[in-house]
Amino acid sequence: MSSAASERIRRPRSLAARITLWYVAIFIASVAALVALALPAVRDAVSTEHTITVESRVQRHLAALVTRGLPAYEHAVEQAAQLGTDDAVRVQDAAGRTLYERGNISASLRTATRTTRELQIELGAVADPWAAVRERLRPGVLLLLAFALLLAIGGAFYVTRQALRPLRALAATAHDVSVSGDLSRRVPERGGDDELEQLSHLFNRMLERNQRLVTGMRESLDNVAHDLRTPLTRLRGAAEVALRSDDPALARDALADTVEESERVLAMLRTLMDISEAEAGLMRLSRVPTLLGQLAADSIELYAHVAEDAGISLSSTRTDDVTVDVDPTRIRQAIANLLDNAIKYTPAGGTVTVEVLDEGAHARIRVRDTGEGIEPEAIPRIWDRLYRADPSRSRPGLGLGLSLVRAVVAAHGGRVEVESEVGRGSAFSIVIPTAPAETRIVRQ
Ligand code: ADP
């Protein structure tokens, strides 16, 4: 494993900062686009307004000129000019001679002309109204833009950081789990239903599942080690007896014991490997269309003597005519395991019955006994590898039968079910889909 320093995750470049930068860039681009679009329109409006003003002013000038006469008009214009008007004025007679001129008409930005029979008056506006508007607006607009920019940066950063909080919590938990290996850590969930909350929720479910799997594997390994110790110790004891013994008959007996114990260990390892193979989806199944009733009948026949010896009545109560696409050897093995248990955990005088039911999309094989039943707390654990409920420890068995049944049935795409009442008996079911293999959804 690498050093602790390299285990540490690199401090991430802040996503919030990057999103904020993008947001601000988009904000600036939008404002620029808005200004670029709005500016010509505003300028046009100012220019139109200016034209109208000049036109109306020339009308007033003409009226003053006509009603007061040129000298009085000149006087009024000069006085007004002293008050700061930038207009240029030119008055000409009908022959085009200039009678009065003030300011430079040809340098005007906009001119308006009115003509009577004897006179022509021209008014020119020298000042640029747009420049004036611009100058007046500039400080306010710049201040407003600076404020909006600050608000955009601060707001975007705050909102993004808040929104990314669950993601940071998730990264912190993932980091803790990867460094410490402690699968009991969880991401705090706030109960919302947005995408990030869903991610936290799914991440926690994944951790839970992993924790369960790892704990299950540890327990299995402990159980295997524990359960192997007894037969191996006995095997070694028998081998030592054989070695030390001078009596060939005693030595042969001891060797026979070693063979028996080795067989027990091998059977346990074989079953464990079968279960692992089936659970990993690697069990090779030779599926053929099989009449389930026939498999049940075979198994009943196989256990007839065992049941008779135990003083138990074993019979089939209902057999529907249902064909399933299964590996007959494996399913027969599963039914046999259920029968073996039913007989083992039912006292003499009890009954064990087998039913084969056609339930449409499924076929069910139910093995029912009138035995000792199972404590409700033990029910979820009976399918675990090497699990044996306390009262069963005095009876022969490896604690692997039901694990194998479940693994084999799951490999066929089916499921197992159990109902049990202490003192009254149990009913174990194998449920297998009846749909033909080609119409079933194949999981890759
Ligand atoms: P084993 O029978 O070798 O102990 P199994 O995996 O077949 O292992 O069963 C696990 C446990 O489930 C048994 O130890 C027993 O406690 C319980 N069990 C299984 N079948 C029955 C049954 N028919 N009646 C009562 N208990 C049962």
Side-chain angles (χ1 to χ4, degrees):
M1 200 169 276
S2 50
S3 71
S6 60
E7 288 274 313
R8 227 179 298 131
I9 50 168
R10 232 162 14 95
R11 192 180 153 66
R13 297 216 324 266
S14 168
L15 185 57
R18 255 187 294 160
I19 293 177
T20 306
L21 270 182
W22 272 107
Y23 177 78
V24 170
I26 291 170
F27 174 78
I28 290 174
S30 317
V31 169
L34 198 74
V35 169
L37 280 176
L39 220 55
V42 175
R43 194 185 292 169
D44 279 358
V46 169
S47 159
T48 313
E49 182 64 31
H50 193 223
T51 311
I52 293 169
T53 315
V54 174
E55 291 289 341
S56 78
R57 281 220 311 273
V58 76
Q59 193 63 41
R60 279 208 310 277
H61 276 254
L62 179 67
L65 178 61
V66 170
T67 51
R68 293 186 194 181
L70 189 59
Y73 169 74
E74 267 179 43
H75 181 68
V77 170
E78 292 300 331
Q79 271 197 334
Q82 274 164 25
L83 293 175
T85 311
D86 301 324
D87 291 345
V89 178
R90 181 162 64 193
V91 181
Q92 289 174 318
D93 61 13
R97 279 190 302 270
T98 301
L99 306 177
Y100 169 64
E101 182 165 7
R102 178 172 176 88
N104 188 358
I105 272 287
S106 48
S108 301
L109 283 178
R110 189 161 278 106
T111 54
T113 312
R114 288 289 180 279
T115 322
T116 62
R117 234 178 309 131
E118 302 93 31
L119 292 169
Q120 171 178 297
I121 181 163
E122 264 179 289
L123 190 76
V126 179
D128 176 6
W130 174 237
V133 169
R134 225 171 34 205
E135 283 315 307
R136 219 169 328 129
L137 286 182
R138 195 196 301 269
V141 168
L142 285 182
L143 205 70
L144 206 72
L145 277 181
F147 183 68
L149 196 65
L150 277 180
L151 206 69
I153 294 173
F157 193 66
Y158 176 76
V159 171
T160 327
R161 261 188 83 80
Q162 285 299 105
L164 293 179
R165 223 163 54 179
L167 214 56
R168 282 200 304 279
L170 196 125
T173 310
H175 175 242
D176 283 356
V177 171
S178 72
V179 170
S180 68
D182 178 2
L183 286 169
S184 67
R185 304 271 169 100
R186 295 289 176 272
V187 186
E189 286 182 48
R190 285 174 303 161
D193 59 356
D194 58 37
E195 292 87 341
L196 291 181
E197 277 297 325
Q198 265 182 25
L199 186 65
S200 303
H201 181 72
L202 288 175
F203 187 73
N204 281 346
R205 296 297 81 72
M206 191 182 77
L207 284 178
E208 244 165 56
R209 201 178 133 76
N210 284 354
Q211 188 181 15
R212 252 201 325 270
L213 281 175
V214 169
T215 313
M217 269 163 61
R218 264 187 215 141
E219 275 177 9
S220 277
L221 211 63
D222 287 353
N223 287 344
V224 171
H226 183 267
D227 282 40
L228 276 178
R229 217 172 47 193
T230 315
L232 285 178
T233 312
R234 280 207 294 256
L235 198 141
R236 185 194 158 134
E240 277 174 359
V241 169
L243 267 180
R244 276 202 308 265
S245 177
D246 296 331
D247 179 353
L250 209 67
R252 195 174 294 116
D253 279 354
L255 281 175
D257 282 350
T258 62
V259 171
E260 201 177 305
E261 291 300 342
S262 329
E263 195 42 58
R264 197 176 144 79
V265 172
L266 282 173
M268 181 172 155
L269 292 178
R270 250 195 319 265
T271 314
L272 274 172
M273 282 168 71
D274 274 355
I275 296 170
S276 295
E277 238 178 52
E279 284 180 351
L282 299 174
M283 180 175 264
R284 252 174 296 156
L285 297 174
S286 314
R287 285 174 183 260
V288 282
T290 309
L291 203 58
L292 265 194
Q294 189 56 52
L295 290 188
D298 292 350
S299 309
I300 291 173
E301 196 185 321
L302 196 70
Y303 274 87
H305 287 302
V306 185
E308 202 180 310
D309 288 351
I312 289 165
S313 123
L314 169 62
S315 61
S316 148
T317 49
R318 175 176 161 184
T319 309
D320 287 352
D321 187 15
V322 53
T323 302
V324 281
D325 193 26
V326 294
D327 182 335
T329 314
R330 288 298 186 184
I331 295 299
R332 207 181 286 123
Q333 189 183 15
I335 302 173
N337 275 347
L338 294 186
L339 279 181
D340 189 66
N341 279 350
I343 295 168
K344 197 161 58 176
Y345 299 112
T346 301
T351 47
V352 173
T353 53
V354 182
E355 296 164 285
V356 175
L357 307 171
D358 183 355
E359 295 181 341
H362 299 103
R364 180 185 295 267
I365 307 155
R366 189 188 283 135
V367 176
R368 206 189 282 275
D369 64 56
T370 57
E372 62 199 44
I374 308 164
E375 295 285 346
E377 320 74 84
I379 286 185
R381 305 206 55 200
I382 54 173
W383 308 102
D384 292 351
R385 276 171 236 204
L386 297 164
Y387 176 81
R388 309 195 71 205
D390 279 337
S392 321
R393 298 220 163 251
S394 54
R395 304 209 183 77
L398 296 170
L400 289 173
L402 289 183
S403 316
L404 185 65
V405 172
R406 185 172 68 167
V408 164
V409 173
H412 281 84
R415 62 176 197 274
V416 285
E417 289 173 8
V418 60
E419 290 163 52
S420 187
E421 209 178 315
V422 176
R424 306 202 57 155
S426 315
F428 284 82
S429 292
I430 292 174
V431 184
I432 300 173
T434 43
E438 56 272 21
T439 63
R440 228 175 282 140
I441 297 164
V442 180
R443 276 207 280 150
Q444 297 293 326

